[in-house]
């Protein structure tokens, strides 16, 4: 079916009741209320829509007066949060039109026209409005056709729309990847040019966008491949672009391995997906010739941890995220061998620290799934069970868990200083080996025998 501008077709989408109630209230007060944006697009594409947003000709002050419970989310931009009966906060935004745009953000003014409001939206598939009371669809830019035909296209002239807001370049790649759409020739041509202006975007916006790529799409690799193909990758994360065509395993390059590992992690685990995506980032720096003329990558994990931290800091990720993700990358190969004794598992636990254990295993599983011909690691499940067995005894893994501390050393007449830590580390090493040694009298005896001398 070919729809032309303004065509009304009846379509029953299924928004939450609370959305219909909010629309009804606006309607009864003489206002228009349209569901717009992501949820309409998702629902029309046959996916559960989240974030049902409404657009209305009512001004924000009016919306605030009409509903009992509202939150001024961004009143100056026209957005009021209205608390639905289901306890969800729905965004109700006054129709807007762009007055001025800068490539990063726009100055908008309120409008009374749905058409104008749809015209400022980025892609045709995002510019479809649906009336929750009547089922009427307004689709002036052919978004439904594009959705059906599998095409991603800007509303209006692509080059101009990207120049207004370069984030749209990344949004285009994400929507194309997420919905499996082909980017139209015009839009792609303009996008390939606009990629070189991505440097005007703030690190935070890029990071948030990448988090959506990783957090919303099961096959994030489809989008990430488009990042590479469009050169957005080399603009934003050249360290990752450098892994393309670095041969690693059975004809697979470091980039492809990283993509496969990323897809093997559930989207809900965004940090772990970052670790999977960055886990081969140290290969280019570590690459050296081996004696037979092939390549080796000894120590790529350490380079990788450093580079991952560099990338994430540049994207202004939180310190906690930088620390966690880069540490996972650095530790990716540090798993105890299959035949390790319990003491080996305890030493490994002390080395990686308990908070990393689960994710390290998950990362290893993802790497194993990514591998075209997995060799080791077929026994990951058994090794995981081994960890659980060992942890059941709640072994002491840190200095704090020792039955003897600094005070005891002082009481023995030892002077505080680096020597203290040395002694305590020695004791921990022994306790990891033989947990039954962790008794005050035993440890005191060891200190007297080994460190003070008799
Ligand atoms: P998602 O929530 O999955 O990121 P979305 O399309 O819902 O996708 P939002 O950022 O929630 O994205 O924005 C809601 C709607 O606002 C979009 O569907 C689009 O119509 C419009 N919009 C959002 N960002 C832009 C932008 N940078 N330029 C133009 N229109 C935009
Ligand atoms: Mg949304």
């Amino acid at each position: 079916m070919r729809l032309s501008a303004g065509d009304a077709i009846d379509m029953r989408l299924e928004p939450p009741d609370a959305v219909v109630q909010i629309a009804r209230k606006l309607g009864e007060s003489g206002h228009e209320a349209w569901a717009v944006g992501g949820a309409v697009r998702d629902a029309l594409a046959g996916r559960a829509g989240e974030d049902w947003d409404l657009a209305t000709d009512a001004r924000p002050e009016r919306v605030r007066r009409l509903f009992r419970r509202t939150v001024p989310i961004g009143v100056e931009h026209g957005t009021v949060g209205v608390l639905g009966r289901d306890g969800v906060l729905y965004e109700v935004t006054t129709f807007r039109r762009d007055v001025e745009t800068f490539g990063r953000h726009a100055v908008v003014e309120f409008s009374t026209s749905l058409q104008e409001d749809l015209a400022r939206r980025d892609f045709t598939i995002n510019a479809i409005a649906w009336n929750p009371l009547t089922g009427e669809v307004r689709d002036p830019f052919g978004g439904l056709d594009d959705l059906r035909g599998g095409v991603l296209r800007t509303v209006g002239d692509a080059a101009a729309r990207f120049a207004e807001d370069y984030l749209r370049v990344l949004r285009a790649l994400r929507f194309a990847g997420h919905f499996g759409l082909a980017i139209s020739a015009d839009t792609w041509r303009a996008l390939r040019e606009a990629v070189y202006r991505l440097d005007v975007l703030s690190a935070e916006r890029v990071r948030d966008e990448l988090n959506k790529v990783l957090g919303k799409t099961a096959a994030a690799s489809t989008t990430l491949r488009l990042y590479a193909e469009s050169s957005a990758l080399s603009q934003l994360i050249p360290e990752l672009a450098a892994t393309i065509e670095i041969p690693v395993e059975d004809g697979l390059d470091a980039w492809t391995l990283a993509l496969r590992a990323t897809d093997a992690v559930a989207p809900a685990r965004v940090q772990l997906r970052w670790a999977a995506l960055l886990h081969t980032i140290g290969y280019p720096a570590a690459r050296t010739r081996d004696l037979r003329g092939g390549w080796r990558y000894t120590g790529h994990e350490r380079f990788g941890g450093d580079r991952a931290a560099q990338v994430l800091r540049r994207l202004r990720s939180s310190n906690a995220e930088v620390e966690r993700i880069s540490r996972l990358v650095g530790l990716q190969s540090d798993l105890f061998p299959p035949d390790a004794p319990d003491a080996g598992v305890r030493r490994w636990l002390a080395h990686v620290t308990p908070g990393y254990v689960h994710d390290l295993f998950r990362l290893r599983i993802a790497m194993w799934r990514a591998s075209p011909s997995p060799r080791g690691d077929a026994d990951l499940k058994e090794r995981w069970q081994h960890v659980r067995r060992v942890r059941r005894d709640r072994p002491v893994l840190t200095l704090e868990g020792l039955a003897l501390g600094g005070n005891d050393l002082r009481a023995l007449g030892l002077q505080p200083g680096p020597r203290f830590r040395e002694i305590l580390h020695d004791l921990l090493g022994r306790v990891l080996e033989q947990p039954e040694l962790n008794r005050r009298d035993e440890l005191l005896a060891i200190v007297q025998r080994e460190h003070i001398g008799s």
Side-chain angles (χ1 to χ4, degrees), residues 167-429:
L167 189 71
R168 291 171 186 162
V169 168
L170 304 185
R171 287 171 57 86
L173 302 174
R174 171 159 60 95
F175 294 129
H178 183 77
F179 292 101
L181 306 175
I183 299 177
S184 81
D186 285 354
T187 298
W188 180 251
R189 207 173 306 117
L191 186 150
R192 289 298 311 270
E193 297 288 320
V195 155
Y196 299 100
R197 299 303 314 283
L198 288 175
D199 57 332
V200 305
L201 293 176
S202 73
E204 289 82 356
R205 285 185 94 195
V206 173
R207 179 202 58 210
D208 291 350
E209 187 53 40
L210 285 166
N211 279 333
K212 286 186 186 178
V213 172
L214 294 176
K216 289 194 178 200
T217 309
S221 61
T222 315
T223 301
L224 292 165
R225 282 205 175 85
L226 288 172
Y227 266 67
E229 203 186 324
S230 64
S231 301
L233 189 69
S234 47
Q235 290 301 304
L236 298 173
I237 316 183
E239 297 91 337
L240 269 182
T243 66
I244 297 173
E245 288 179 19
I246 296 281
V248 178
E249 216 183 307
D250 294 333
L252 283 197
D253 65 334
W255 166 243
T256 306
L257 268 180
L259 291 181
R260 289 165 60 122
T262 306
D263 283 355
V265 176
R269 302 188 192 284
V270 175
Q271 291 192 0
L272 198 60
R273 276 196 144 191
W274 268 110
L277 177 62
L278 298 173
H279 89 278
T280 60
I281 202 171
Y283 276 85
R287 176 149 114 140
T288 51
R289 284 283 180 199
D290 67 19
L291 296 177
R292 287 198 202 84
W295 293 111
R296 20 171 244 177
Y297 303 97
T298 316
H300 78 86
E301 300 88 347
R302 205 163 43 81
F303 287 106
D306 290 347
R307 291 203 164 188
Q310 220 171 63
V311 167
L312 294 166
R313 254 185 241 117
R314 198 170 66 232
L315 291 172
R316 298 207 202 296
S317 299
S318 70
N319 290 339
E321 269 174 332
V322 175
E323 160 74 17
R324 184 163 187 90
I325 297 166
S326 61
R327 193 142 186 261
L328 286 168
V329 171
L331 287 172
Q332 62 180 286
S333 306
D334 294 11
L335 189 57
F336 56 87
D339 54 357
D342 288 0
V345 175
R346 284 192 295 270
R347 273 200 303 275
W348 178 78
L349 285 167
H351 167 60
V352 303
T353 65
Y356 283 81
V357 169
H358 272 92
D359 274 354
L360 270 175
F361 264 91
R362 291 194 184 100
L363 181 60
R364 283 296 279 247
I365 291 169
M367 287 161 60
W368 183 70
R369 289 209 191 128
S371 168
S373 55
R375 277 178 285 268
D377 280 5
D379 65 330
L380 276 173
K381 209 165 156 194
E382 285 74 29
R383 280 194 261 179
W384 173 245
Q385 238 104 59
H386 196 176
V387 170
R388 294 192 38 165
R389 264 199 321 277
V390 166
R391 285 183 92 174
R392 214 171 287 146
D393 297 334
R394 304 187 171 281
V396 169
L397 301 171
T398 61
L399 297 183
E400 289 71 46
L402 288 176
L404 179 143
N407 284 340
D408 297 298
L409 297 185
R410 223 168 285 133
L412 288 173
L414 289 161
Q415 297 301 318
R419 182 108 173 83
F420 261 44
R421 278 191 83 74
E422 230 170 77
I423 296 175
L424 292 173
H425 273 289
D426 172 60
L427 294 178
L428 179 60

Side-chain angles (χ1 to χ4, degrees), residues 5-291:
D7 257 4
I9 52 163
D10 196 61
M11 284 183 122
R12 282 276 110 191
L13 303 185
E14 285 173 4
D17 288 343
V19 170
V20 181
Q21 278 156 8
I22 294 170
R24 190 169 298 128
K25 178 91 170 210
L26 284 161
E28 285 166 0
S29 313
H31 292 289
E32 287 184 62
W34 295 86
V36 286
V40 173
R41 173 201 65 217
D42 293 354
L44 290 170
R47 309 193 182 198
E50 24 172 298
D51 294 345
W52 283 84
D53 301 328
L54 291 172
T56 179
D57 59 328
R59 295 297 177 96
E61 319 78 69
R62 173 92 172 130
V63 176
R64 293 204 71 186
R65 264 184 275 113
L66 279 175
F67 295 93
R68 204 161 346 141
R69 297 210 279 170
T70 64
V71 180
I73 295 181
V75 172
E76 63 287 9
H77 305 113
T79 304
V80 175
V82 174
L83 198 71
R85 272 203 207 155
D86 51 3
V88 174
L89 197 68
Y90 294 98
E91 292 190 9
V92 178
T93 304
T94 309
F95 295 151
R96 296 172 291 190
R97 69 173 151 258
D98 287 329
V99 183
E100 236 183 309
T101 49
F102 301 99
R104 273 181 291 186
H105 59 273
V107 174
V108 294
E109 91 191 358
F110 296 141
S111 156
T112 52
S113 150
L114 173 65
Q115 169 82 23
E116 276 184 331
D117 188 79
L118 294 176
R120 68 179 288 279
R121 293 170 186 272
D122 44 10
F123 305 106
T124 61
I125 62 165
N126 286 346
I128 306 171
W130 178 77
N131 190 314
L133 301 179
T134 63
E136 185 189 342
V137 170
R138 290 280 176 83
D139 178 28
F141 305 104
L144 266 173
D145 260 6
D146 282 345
L147 211 46
R148 290 197 192 102
V151 180
L152 186 91
R153 191 193 315 271
T154 54
V155 168
D157 178 66
R161 300 313 307 279
F162 287 133
E164 286 170 9
D165 179 359
Y166 287 102
L167 189 71
R168 291 171 186 162
V169 168
L170 304 185
R171 287 171 57 86
L173 302 174
R174 171 159 60 95
F175 294 129
H178 183 77
F179 292 101
L181 306 175
I183 299 177
S184 81
D186 285 354
T187 298
W188 180 251
R189 207 173 306 117
L191 186 150
R192 289 298 311 270
E193 297 288 320
V195 155
Y196 299 100
R197 299 303 314 283
L198 288 175
D199 57 332
V200 305
L201 293 176
S202 73
E204 289 82 356
R205 285 185 94 195
V206 173
R207 179 202 58 210
D208 291 350
E209 187 53 40
L210 285 166
N211 279 333
K212 286 186 186 178
V213 172
L214 294 176
K216 289 194 178 200
T217 309
S221 61
T222 315
T223 301
L224 292 165
R225 282 205 175 85
L226 288 172
Y227 266 67
E229 203 186 324
S230 64
S231 301
L233 189 69
S234 47
Q235 290 301 304
L236 298 173
I237 316 183
E239 297 91 337
L240 269 182
T243 66
I244 297 173
E245 288 179 19
I246 296 281
V248 178
E249 216 183 307
D250 294 333
L252 283 197
D253 65 334
W255 166 243
T256 306
L257 268 180
L259 291 181
R260 289 165 60 122
T262 306
D263 283 355
V265 176
R269 302 188 192 284
V270 175
Q271 291 192 0
L272 198 60
R273 276 196 144 191
W274 268 110
L277 177 62
L278 298 173
H279 89 278
T280 60
I281 202 171
Y283 276 85
R287 176 149 114 140
T288 51
R289 284 283 180 199
D290 67 19
L291 296 177

